[in-house]
Every structure is written in C-alpha cells, then in structure tokens.
Amino acid sequence: MSVLRFEALPLPYFINSGFSLAGPGRKHPERWAVGEFDLIVVKQGCLYIGEEERRYEVSEGHALVLRPDLHHYPTEGCRETTASYWLHFQAGGAWRAGDPEEEEENGTMEEERLESGGGEKEDEAAAGWFRKPTFGIELPQFARLLHPAKMYEALQRLIDLDRNSHMDSVRWEQQALFQQALMLLAESMRAERSRPGEEIADRAASYLRSRYREPISSKDLAEALNFHPVYIARRMRKQFGCSPMEYLIRCRLEQAKRLLLQTDLSVAQIALETGFRQAAYFTACFGKRERMTPREFRLRFLKG
C-alpha cells in the first residue's frame, strides 16, 4: 500500500471541493503535476485512473489521493453513471510517499519524494521551549473507506458551505470538515492494515511516559509488555528513532523543562522529581540535548 506521510504542524489545508456526475464513456481529466493534492471519493459507479505506472479502479466507497507532482490520466471511460466527490488540498508542511510493507521487509522507508512547504523541524536549541510540536499524519493513497457515509456527509457539507466561503467563519468550518475527512481516511487505513510492531512501540512509549519518575530498566519494560527487550528496542528505534532508555530520558527532560519554567524548584529538586537520581547526571543530559544548562534555560525564558 502506498502511504502519504505529512509532517504537521502546519497542517494540510483545504482549497476547494466539488461533486461530479459522469455518464458512461466519460473519463477523468488528464493532468501533469498540477501542484496540489486531489482527493477523489466515489459514491456510485467507478472511475478508472492512472498515476504514472500505477492504475486504480476507484469504485463505490473507495478513495484515492492523487499526488501534486505526478502525471494523472484516465485508463478508460466510465462503464456506468458515476458520482464522485473531489477535494483539492495542499500539504502545508513537508510530506513524503512510500510503502510501509517495503519498510517492514527492508528495514528502511523507501521515500519516493520529499516536498517542503515550511514544515521542517526547527533546530531544538534555536527554537527552545516554545518550538512548534510537530507530529506525523499518515494517509493511504488508495483505500476502501471504513465509514463511507460519514465521508460523503463531510464532503457534501464542504460543498454546501462554498456559497458563503467569502466569510472567515465559514472558511474555518471548512478547514475543520477537511480535517475530519482526513481522519476518516486515516481510520480506513488503520482498519485495513495491522502493524503489530507499531502497537508495541506505542505501548512501550505510553508505559515510559506514565512512569518516568520511577527507576525503569529494559527488563522492567519487557516484563510489562511481555516481549523480549531486544524486540522492543528494535520497534522503538524504527518508530521513534531511539532506544527505550533514550526515549525515557527525553520524557524526563520534557517534564524537567516544564518544572524549570513553571516552578521555583531548585535544579536538584527537579532532577529528583523527574526520575534523575543525581543532579549532575541530569545537568549533563540536559546540556547534551539542549546545548545549555538547566539554569541557563530557566534564565533565558524567565529573565525580565
């Protein structure tokens, strides 16, 4: 399955949408690198669309996202009356395309392309505590919708609002409906494919985040999740780019930065509050990650 991954914030954003009713013989238009994503949802009938070397039959209850940088073309005309919604959107930030199944087989994400729209992660030391918290959004390029009726309703509402889209409040509502449509699309992908490795990594992360104050070993984590520590570490490196213990240190430092800014606790007290047994070790970990000492961090944002 081809998957599109967007780095947010900023979020992908809605441009416009519409509804198309095509009789037998009608074809999807041919386009070259139109510069925006095109979400197509078929409510009745079937559309026959190609994107570069891939060919799709988008039938009732299915959705297809056409990329902004590739050639799209009809592979044949409609065989029956076909009703479909279309929606154009931009990534907002960085995005890439790849195949998670190849990632599982080869151990790496084979990226087809990376586009930058202002969503790159900033240098943490420069951005400081007030940097934008980014996260990933994964969407299937082609999927059978888990809740097609909900998708139709959201897309129809987007179209109905268009007559008043000159109003800021309406544009805001349209953006919210668009995010709802993306969530429905993502939900369909999660239901379609099962990736137990991701679940293990997420469970490990939740365990570590909920117990960051406690002394935790790899053995403790393995016993809690009932998986071998080597397997847990491999899954976390694949999903989060670090080992479980490195992830635990990150969690502790996140909490420490909050306490530095929101309390007048001493550095030694904050070290104990966040699971560091020694203030010197806390200071060393903090300096390695933030490129400044805890005191310097506190003064940087609280002076004046």
Side-chain angles (χ1 to χ4, degrees):
M1 175 190 292
S2 178
V3 171
L4 303 172
R5 180 177 174 84
F6 300 83
E7 294 299 324
L9 302 166
L11 289 167
Y13 61 88
F14 168 78
I15 300 175
N16 54 24
S17 62
F19 182 78
S20 175
L21 191 63
R26 287 280 300 276
K27 297 181 178 181
H28 187 270
E30 185 171 12
R31 301 188 180 103
W32 284 265
V34 294
E36 59 191 26
F37 290 91
D38 186 359
L39 167 63
I40 298 170
V41 175
V42 173
K43 187 176 182 180
Q44 174 189 330
C46 186
L47 289 174
Y48 303 89
I49 302 173
E51 183 181 74
E52 300 294 347
E53 74 282 356
R54 292 178 175 173
R55 294 180 171 227
Y56 301 96
E57 293 186 6
V58 193
S59 58
E60 179 180 337
H62 286 72
L64 171 66
V65 180
L66 296 174
R67 287 171 49 172
D69 58 334
L70 299 180
H71 174 211
H72 315 134
Y73 54 92
T75 58
E76 65 174 276
C78 297
R79 300 174 186 174
E80 59 185 310
T81 299
T82 299
S84 61
Y85 292 97
W86 56 266
L87 183 154
H88 295 162
F89 69 96
Q90 286 285 7
W95 68 275
R96 67 177 183 261
D99 191 333
E101 292 182 3
E102 292 181 6
E103 177 187 7
E104 291 296 328
E105 293 176 3
N106 304 328
T108 58
M109 179 74 166
E110 183 174 333
E111 298 180 4
E112 295 181 10
R113 186 178 177 87
L114 176 64
E115 291 285 348
S116 174
E120 298 87 355
K121 292 184 179 180
E122 301 172 298
D123 179 79
E124 292 189 2
W129 174 247
F130 301 101
R131 64 184 182 274
K132 297 176 184 176
T134 62
F135 57 94
I137 296 174
E138 285 193 348
L139 301 176
Q141 189 165 8
F142 178 66
R144 181 176 183 272
L145 294 169
L146 183 63
H147 300 294
K150 290 183 179 180
M151 179 67 86
Y152 303 153
E153 182 181 354
L155 295 178
Q156 186 59 54
R157 177 62 178 159
L158 272 170
I159 296 170
D160 294 341
L161 287 170
D162 191 60
R163 66 175 65 92
N164 293 316
S165 61
H166 60 284
M167 301 168 60
D168 287 343
S169 59
V170 172
R171 293 293 294 174
W172 189 3
E173 185 176 352
Q174 285 183 312
Q175 295 300 330
L177 283 165
F178 167 60
Q179 298 302 326
Q180 179 184 336
L182 292 190
M183 292 181 72
L184 288 168
L185 191 56
E187 187 178 357
S188 300
M189 179 179 69
R190 289 192 292 269
E192 189 172 313
R193 64 182 173 92
S194 175
R195 296 174 67 182
E198 280 191 1
E199 181 185 354
I200 295 303
D202 288 335
R203 285 176 56 195
S206 296
Y207 180 88
L208 294 171
R209 295 185 76 87
S210 65
R211 293 169 172 80
Y212 68 90
R213 291 187 179 90
E214 305 170 13
I216 301 175
S217 66
S218 297
K219 182 180 178 182
D220 296 329
L221 183 61
E223 290 177 353
L225 272 60
N226 199 27
F227 281 92
H228 195 281
V230 174
Y231 178 70
I232 296 173
R234 185 166 69 246
R235 300 313 313 181
M236 289 201 73
R237 284 193 180 279
K238 184 177 290 292
Q239 186 153 336
F240 298 108
C242 63
S243 70
M245 294 304 104
E246 289 169 337
Y247 188 89
L248 177 60
I249 293 296
R250 291 182 187 180
C251 294
R252 287 171 171 169
L253 291 175
E254 285 176 14
Q255 298 301 321
K257 286 188 284 188
R258 290 189 175 92
L259 293 177
L260 285 166
L261 295 180
Q262 297 172 4
T263 74
D264 59 358
L265 293 175
S266 68
V267 170
Q269 288 174 309
I270 290 174
L272 292 175
E273 284 286 327
T274 53
F276 291 96
R277 295 188 176 183
Q278 297 178 344
Y281 180 57
F282 164 56
T283 299
C285 292
F286 195 99
K288 182 178 180 181
R289 183 166 177 80
E290 300 299 325
R291 301 178 188 175
M292 65 182 78
T293 68
R295 288 187 176 84
E296 288 170 340
F297 178 87
R298 172 177 270 172
L299 290 173
R300 178 178 179 180
F301 295 109
L302 297 184
K303 62 182 178 181

